[in-house]
Amino acid sequence: MATYEYLCSRCGAFDVKLEIGTAPTAYGCPVCAGAARRVYSSPGLSLTSKAVAALHVREEQAREAPAVVSQVPPHRRVPRHPHPALSRLPRL
């Protein structure tokens, strides 16, 4: 579902949620039932957080110029802690 913006000459702007690609150029106003024309505006990308915007920029940069690795990173051993219930099991 996509949100489409329409502008009624009497009542003002309102939003309508429709399936993508099915928005007509004119839509009935929910207040006065008059014809409202579709308004084309920029998408709401400015509402994203700074962290999400930074991820988008980083992803686009990686698409154009991916980071090159010259060697395999060193293996770091992750310490494993045994489950406490294992100490209560019988030994054979």
Side-chain angles (χ1 to χ4, degrees), residues 45-56:
L45 298 178
S46 62
L47 300 177
T48 59
S49 67
K50 290 184 180 184
V52 172
L55 285 174
H56 284 295

Side-chain angles (χ1 to χ4, degrees), residues 4-78:
Y4 295 97
E5 185 178 356
Y6 287 89
L7 181 64
C8 177
S9 59
R10 286 181 247 156
C11 305
F14 62 94
D15 293 337
V16 178
K17 291 192 180 213
L18 300 169
E19 290 186 24
I20 295 175
T22 62
T25 56
Y27 195 83
C29 177
V31 178
C32 69
R37 65 178 177 86
R38 185 171 168 195
V39 178
Y40 295 92
S41 59
S42 61
L45 298 178
S46 62
L47 300 177
T48 59
S49 67
K50 290 184 180 184
V52 172
L55 285 174
H56 284 295
V57 169
R58 190 171 174 191
E59 189 269 333
E60 288 175 2
Q61 289 173 346
R63 188 181 315 151
E64 297 297 323
V68 178
V69 179
S70 60
Q71 62 182 6
V72 177
H75 178 71
R76 291 187 295 183
R77 188 174 185 107
V78 179

